[in-house]
Amino acid sequence: MINFNVPTHNDKTIEYIIDSFATGHVSGDGKYTKLCHNWLREKMHVDTALLVHSGTAALELAAICANLEPGDEVIMPSFTFCSTANAFVLAGAKPVFVDIRPDTLNIDEKLIEGAITDKTRAIVPVHYAGVACEMDTIMEIAQRHNLLVIEDAAQAFASSYKGKALGTIGDMGCFSFHETKNIMSGEGGLFVTNNTEFAERAEIIREKGTNRSKFFRGQVDKYTWVDKGSSYLPSDIIGAYLYSMLEVADKVQAKRISIWKKYYDAFTPFANAGKIRLPIIPDDCTNNAHMFYILFNDLETRTKFISFMREKEIMTPFHYIPLHSAPAGQKFGRVATTMDVTNLVSDTLVRLPLYFDLTDYDQERVINTACEFIKGL
Ligand SMILES: *Cc1c(COP(=O)(O)O)cnc(C)c1O
């Protein structure tokens, strides 16, 4: 069977995990967590990088930093993973759903301004499939209306917009190192910011609302409960796994991009013939090859494709059930625009297997099987 994702690790992973025990410190902020923090700050050109236990946790941390009050509104796409909205619901705010662009499947920046009310506090652009939202426009709207921008960059590791690392353009950025993402530590996440106020607060919120980090740096002589918070820091064992993957990030990215291009080239003739639609990467954006997806023309064709592939033991999942149509989305959120593109994409998108250890042989089998189906359309 060819699954759509298979987690990976390397020899260093085990070595570093064993070494983390040898340091006598396997809880949070140990040797490997610090190595990760330094690596990430340097490569992403960001002032503060804090490992957390998931992308969901990074979003929750950002939502607490945003100081939202009951009734406050947060603008986001409906075509995203539920954690994007959940984090803000937990903070007492209301997700306000906006439709996506038909090309990148990112939030349609032209619709954002119409969704702003006097309750709006933040915009949450989700960089779908690691391809950037139109950040210049989004930042300009946010500045004009005095709104925060919190980037859901869960899929956007090692991707950029006009040369700037995604996740570092807005006020705060949130990444995931879940096993389905490009760089993984099983579960894991990252919060980044260039804002010193948010950095100081995030450090406290992440450590149960205490100033423990300042204490360890010798900046205060005892540590105590100073703000609201939770426990968002991962064990150093997770840091060890993550560091072993960060060290080979270039290799992982090169492999993923080569797999992505092979799919793209194989399906281009069918896209030109109008049978399917392939991903579109605008000029100002990079492609981190987080995902390879195909859009069919209708739901019926996609349903047939998925069962055709499953019969040949190839897993090709779809996502997302739009949040505005999900029970919790209806309960906690509000729809601000028509949802035509969101609904169509949700019905017609399918993901192909894409992971570091995918062999040429298996990828050829995926391509040949998919082509066999698409040719018949
Ligand atoms: C994966 C993902 C998340 C959640 O990350 P976890 O690490 O699984 O909690 C949030 N938003 C988006 C867009 C994602 O793809």
Side-chain angles (χ1 to χ4, degrees), residues 82-319:
C82 60
S83 292
T84 314
N86 229 339
F88 296 93
V89 170
L90 282 171
K94 182 190 276 286
V96 172
F97 300 118
V98 165
D99 207 0
I100 51 172
R101 290 163 49 135
D103 57 353
T104 55
L105 317 186
N106 282 327
I107 189 166
D108 189 337
E109 69 281 356
K110 290 192 289 305
L111 301 177
I112 290 175
E113 208 145 18
I116 294 174
T117 68
D118 57 2
K119 298 246 178 220
T120 309
R121 297 288 172 264
I123 305 170
V124 183
V126 178
H127 304 297
Y128 182 71
V131 177
C133 296
E134 188 38 55
M135 290 308 287
D136 277 355
T137 310
I138 292 171
M139 294 308 289
E140 188 271 317
I141 294 169
Q143 268 147 25
R144 206 146 30 79
H145 293 271
N146 196 23
L147 307 175
L148 291 174
V149 174
I150 299 164
E151 295 176 71
D152 183 339
Q155 305 178 3
F157 189 81
S159 201
S160 62
Y161 171 81
K162 298 190 177 174
K164 274 190 214 158
L166 297 187
T168 70
I169 301 167
D171 298 279
M172 298 176 251
C174 307
F175 292 85
S176 169
F177 299 123
H178 185 259
E179 70 174 21
T180 51
K181 304 301 202 282
N182 290 27
I183 298 296
M184 67 188 69
S185 54
E187 300 280 352
L190 170 70
F191 170 93
V192 298
T193 184
N194 281 313
N195 176 307
T196 46
E197 243 168 78
F198 291 138
E200 195 165 318
R201 258 207 98 198
E203 199 178 76
I204 289 165
I205 293 162
R206 177 173 169 269
E207 267 279 25
K208 303 98 185 164
T210 71
N211 56 358
R212 188 175 169 163
S213 299
K214 272 189 176 162
F215 174 70
F216 281 127
R217 285 197 299 268
Q219 292 166 325
V220 289
D221 58 10
K222 57 182 184 295
Y223 89 82
T224 183
W225 183 28
V226 294
D227 196 349
K228 46 173 127 163
S230 187
S231 185
Y232 288 123
L233 70 176
S235 138
D236 207 48
I237 295 167
I238 294 295
Y241 183 1
L242 183 65
Y243 193 62
S244 75
M245 296 313 300
L246 291 175
E247 282 189 321
V248 297
D250 288 348
K251 193 171 121 193
V252 170
Q253 285 305 103
K255 176 75 187 287
R256 294 186 74 104
I257 288 165
S258 109
I259 293 170
W260 195 98
K261 288 204 165 117
K262 228 180 261 178
Y263 277 138
Y264 191 87
D265 293 344
F267 298 125
T268 293
F270 302 114
N272 292 341
K275 290 178 191 283
I276 53 170
R277 209 276 274 138
L278 295 179
I280 295 168
I281 321 284
D283 283 346
D284 292 328
C285 308
T286 58
N287 173 24
N288 71 347
H290 170 59
M291 194 190 296
F292 193 89
Y293 64 82
I294 291 177
L295 291 161
F296 287 101
N297 290 332
D298 52 59
L299 173 62
E300 195 193 344
T301 312
R302 182 186 70 179
T303 307
K304 282 187 185 152
F305 176 80
I306 292 173
S307 49
F308 182 86
M309 297 297 278
R310 194 184 297 123
E311 270 166 36
K312 308 271 158 77
E313 301 199 307
I314 300 169
M315 297 302 130
T316 57
F318 66 84
H319 70 184

